Amino acid sequence: MPSKINILPEFLMKRIAAGEVIERPASVAKELLENSLDAVGTSVSLLIKGGGISQIQVIDNGEGMTEEDALICCERHATSKLQKPEDLEAIHTLGFRGEALASISSVSRMTITTSTGDEEGTQVIMDSGRVHEVLKLAANRGTTVTVKDLFSNVPARRKFLKSQNTELRHIVSLFRRIALSHPGIDFSLYIDDEKTMDLRGGSLEDRIRDLLTEKRASSLIRVEKKSSAISMVGFVSRPGEALRSRRDQFFFLNNRYIVNRSMVHGVLSAYGSRLGRDEYPIFLIYLEMAPKHFDVNVHPTKIEVRFIDEKYVHDMVKGSVQEALRKPMAVPELQLVTGRKQKKSFSGHPYRNEGDYGQLTLEAQRPEAGENVIEYRQFPDKEVPSLWQLHNRYILSQIKSGLTIIDQHVAHERILYERALESKRGNAGLSQQLLFPQTIEFTPDDFLILTEIFPYLEKIGFGLKEFGRNTLVIEAVPVEIKTGRERELLLEIIEEYKLGHNENTDIFEEVATAFACKSAIKSGDRMTFQEMAFLIDRLFATKEPYFCPHGRPIVVNLTLEEIDRRFGR
Ligand code: ADP
Ligand code: MG
């Protein structure tokens, strides 16, 4: 009886393995780009045709390969990156398996043209995993790998590919990740023979500026933290400038893009209530740490990383983002948008009209700590802050970098909110007794709510007494609020509390938010100079002078540069 078990022919085995590594054109692009980066050159180009299905080509000016190496690099488990047993660690850290080229070549027509620069170059032409032809030719130092007709010999897989446009989108986002992880390298991207991106190597800031739109990049603030095990730098968007999608959220670990859920959680919880529903902050966070502190899922296409101490990394990310968001740098800057020129190469293509890739203002123009200080005008006998009220709504003042604009209502709201929270910690709010106590009758359900928040209102400084069924007497109010409309105010607080309250929030915080929102100076209230000066003093004495309890900005700056630019100076 013939044996039922057959050894699979080598080429079939490769093809099966390929399914594991190579999901779609973007996975080919990823492997080839990573190989080029490993070969340490200064420039890498990616050329795509037909969504990567017809052709993917990667050209680098790295160290190249000898003829011998070029022939064995497509064998399974051929890698120059694992020499000693200790290097096995690299599988856990970087995912080297010496498998990518073998897999790709088995499901495509692949050509490698390479030269070390010292001798004649080599061209290896492969077809479905077999060497078809080897040529000697003149070639510059570096390597060009061309992959054509991906999956044409694996019809089942080809069927699962999405439209060319979808595949292209995956490639473009992969390209952005790779470019962001190696800011020092020149990168270019050609789509169907047209140069779509052309990135000069430079600083991380330069690279981010080139890859995000001007508006997005200018909304970023720097985060930084170092401990003995981890060093972290990055950028996050100012609150209020979040996006509707997650596309500009990146983590890199030792210069590789990674995915890690607890880090995402760390960033989002640092924003807390500053993020609205369906709002996603931009973040680009770069970690450096020794391989012993993390594990990479060894599945070649996965970029998921597990940290040995997840909580430590989570808390570090959260803490440093929180810190950054509290700084004056987090003050949004008003941009007077003008029709600035766009780079020609970005026009006329679906991936090119995403926005303005022109020159922009990042770090350099953020106000330094301490710069957001109201400047004083010299008068013969005294110094007076320069303050103006605009339309009974905004307070304008000169600061070092230009002009600061303060929203009077939210500024007061922040002051009252922090004052209310203070009272929770035992510092009961100061009260003023009313000359004529006021009686309010409530509907039974509102009254029920009131008894629930009664103790909190008293802590804040309200003097309240029950007076028969569903009736309340207001005897005193917090000193901070204007008297005369206590009744309306209390009703408004109840309404606001009803609106904002949900199971998961702290009742005291809810009451404090409602109180602050309803008791604050309204937009439209005229303020005297003294009131404005007092408000500003107290605002900058709060813990978070730049954002109101709902997450809206309190202060917006307009730089002199921006004004000068507007005037064509
Ligand atoms: P791995 O990257 O895991 O080593 P690959 O199959 O991706 O496995 O590549 C196999 C080997 O081919 C690499 O270890 C490297 O020596 C060589 N190689 C691949 N691409 C390049 C390149 N662009 N420049 C120089 N050498 C390369
Ligand atoms: Mg590789």
Side-chain angles (χ1 to χ4, degrees), residues 51-52 54 86 130 163 178 213 234 283 348 365 381 387 390 401 418:
S54 328
E86 304 91 87
R130 290 171 183 176
S163 70
I178 296 264
T213 61
F283 55 79
Q365 267 123 42
D381 50 340
L387 298 175
L390 180 71
S401 62
E418 289 200 7

Side-chain angles (χ1 to χ4, degrees), residues 31 35-36 38-39 60 63-65 73 78-81 96-102 143:
E31 295 296 337
N35 280 348
S36 287
D38 292 336
D60 68 57
E63 64 192 5
M65 285 178 270
C73 74
T79 177
S80 57
K81 296 161 197 170
F96 291 134
R97 308 215 311 186
E99 237 172 351
L101 288 185
T143 303

Side-chain angles (χ1 to χ4, degrees), residues 381-442:
D381 50 340
K382 58 178 182 220
E383 273 197 342
V384 175
S386 46
L387 298 175
W388 300 268
Q389 196 185 19
L390 180 71
H391 289 276
N392 294 338
R393 193 182 303 173
Y394 297 108
I395 302 170
L396 311 187
S397 184
Q398 177 175 319
I399 55 168
K400 203 166 157 201
S401 62
L403 172 71
T404 194
I405 307 169
I406 297 166
D407 182 326
Q408 64 188 43
H409 168 69
V410 285
H412 196 207
E413 199 178 343
R414 163 56 68 188
I415 295 165
L416 293 178
Y417 174 74
E418 289 200 7
R419 181 71 199 80
L421 289 189
E422 258 316 278
S423 65
K424 186 189 185 184
R425 285 179 221 113
N427 285 328
L430 292 180
S431 303
Q432 44 184 332
Q433 294 295 320
L434 295 180
L435 206 49
F436 304 104
Q438 302 202 14
T439 311
I440 321 176
E441 201 185 326
F442 293 93

Side-chain angles (χ1 to χ4, degrees), residues 294-449:
F294 62 87
D295 239 326
V296 177
N297 186 327
V298 278
H299 190 287
T301 63
K302 294 239 174 95
I303 33 190
E304 194 139 350
V305 167
R306 234 171 25 82
F307 297 104
I308 304 306
D309 191 344
E310 289 271 320
K311 183 167 183 326
Y312 183 82
V313 180
H314 170 273
D315 293 351
M316 179 166 183
V317 169
K318 180 178 174 182
S320 54
V321 174
Q322 252 170 351
E323 212 170 276
L325 294 179
R326 273 196 213 113
K327 288 186 188 154
M329 284 79 144
V331 176
E333 224 165 67
L334 197 61
Q335 303 263 335
L336 302 172
V337 178
T338 50
R340 228 168 274 168
K341 267 194 210 127
Q342 300 195 358
K343 262 194 201 164
K344 267 225 189 71
S345 59
F346 284 100
S347 59
H349 187 278
Y351 295 102
R352 281 157 236 173
N353 52 21
E354 287 191 83
D356 185 357
Y357 287 82
Q359 155 235 358
L360 58 89
T361 54
L362 198 73
E363 268 313 84
Q365 267 123 42
R366 291 284 84 75
E368 293 296 322
E371 268 199 7
N372 209 60
V373 169
I374 307 295
E375 294 198 339
Y376 280 65
R377 274 184 295 175
Q378 264 324 130
F379 280 86
D381 50 340
K382 58 178 182 220
E383 273 197 342
V384 175
S386 46
L387 298 175
W388 300 268
Q389 196 185 19
L390 180 71
H391 289 276
N392 294 338
R393 193 182 303 173
Y394 297 108
I395 302 170
L396 311 187
S397 184
Q398 177 175 319
I399 55 168
K400 203 166 157 201
S401 62
L403 172 71
T404 194
I405 307 169
I406 297 166
D407 182 326
Q408 64 188 43
H409 168 69
V410 285
H412 196 207
E413 199 178 343
R414 163 56 68 188
I415 295 165
L416 293 178
Y417 174 74
E418 289 200 7
R419 181 71 199 80
L421 289 189
E422 258 316 278
S423 65
K424 186 189 185 184
R425 285 179 221 113
N427 285 328
L430 292 180
S431 303
Q432 44 184 332
Q433 294 295 320
L434 295 180
L435 206 49
F436 304 104
Q438 302 202 14
T439 311
I440 321 176
E441 201 185 326
F442 293 93
T443 61
D445 49 330
D446 277 0
F447 196 74
L448 207 66
I449 290 179

Side-chain angles (χ1 to χ4, degrees), residues 130-365:
R130 290 171 183 176
V131 176
H132 186 72
E133 209 178 346
V134 180
L135 305 169
K136 296 302 285 179
L137 75 185
N140 290 330
R141 177 179 186 264
T143 303
T144 298
V145 180
T146 312
V147 173
K148 286 186 177 168
D149 302 326
L150 189 63
F151 300 134
S152 60
N153 59 353
V154 196
R157 188 149 278 272
R158 185 143 192 159
K159 232 174 38 204
F160 282 109
L161 291 181
K162 300 280 192 292
S163 70
Q164 286 193 9
N165 250 332
T166 307
E167 297 306 333
L168 196 54
R169 232 191 348 264
H170 283 282
I171 293 173
V172 172
S173 58
L174 177 266
F175 179 86
R176 296 175 84 225
R177 291 168 184 173
I178 296 264
L180 283 168
S181 62
H182 290 79
I185 303 270
D186 293 346
F187 283 95
S188 49
L189 174 65
Y190 292 77
I191 296 175
D192 295 323
D193 291 323
E194 215 187 307
K195 198 180 216 169
T196 304
M197 292 200 210
D198 191 11
L199 309 169
R200 293 289 116 234
S203 68
L204 177 58
E205 283 85 347
D206 290 338
R207 181 52 49 88
I208 292 174
R209 207 173 301 161
D210 287 343
L211 277 174
L212 271 61
T213 61
E214 161 159 1
K215 190 170 163 291
R216 285 174 195 168
S218 67
S219 81
L220 299 178
I221 41 179
R222 197 180 171 86
V223 290
E224 206 155 4
K225 196 113 197 168
K226 272 203 172 69
S227 74
S228 53
I230 310 179
S231 102
M232 168 182 155
V233 292
F235 296 92
V236 298
S237 55
R238 277 176 284 206
E241 305 196 40
L243 304 180
R244 293 274 151 215
S245 86
R246 296 187 180 85
R247 55 162 261 167
D248 285 337
Q249 303 189 334
F250 304 91
F251 290 118
F252 300 94
L253 172 59
N254 300 344
N255 294 326
R256 279 173 188 253
Y257 174 80
I258 58 155
V259 172
N260 175 273
R261 292 180 64 191
S262 57
M263 282 176 76
V264 175
H265 185 271
V267 175
L268 296 185
S269 54
Y271 280 85
S273 65
R274 294 186 185 96
L275 283 178
R277 200 170 295 169
D278 297 326
E279 281 189 340
Y280 303 95
I282 301 173
F283 55 79
L284 305 100
I285 292 180
Y286 293 74
L287 295 182
E288 298 279 344
M289 77 174 84
K292 63 176 181 207
H293 296 304
F294 62 87
D295 239 326
V296 177
N297 186 327
V298 278
H299 190 287
T301 63
K302 294 239 174 95
I303 33 190
E304 194 139 350
V305 167
R306 234 171 25 82
F307 297 104
I308 304 306
D309 191 344
E310 289 271 320
K311 183 167 183 326
Y312 183 82
V313 180
H314 170 273
D315 293 351
M316 179 166 183
V317 169
K318 180 178 174 182
S320 54
V321 174
Q322 252 170 351
E323 212 170 276
L325 294 179
R326 273 196 213 113
K327 288 186 188 154
M329 284 79 144
V331 176
E333 224 165 67
L334 197 61
Q335 303 263 335
L336 302 172
V337 178
T338 50
R340 228 168 274 168
K341 267 194 210 127
Q342 300 195 358
K343 262 194 201 164
K344 267 225 189 71
S345 59
F346 284 100
S347 59
H349 187 278
Y351 295 102
R352 281 157 236 173
N353 52 21
E354 287 191 83
D356 185 357
Y357 287 82
Q359 155 235 358
L360 58 89
T361 54
L362 198 73
E363 268 313 84
Q365 267 123 42

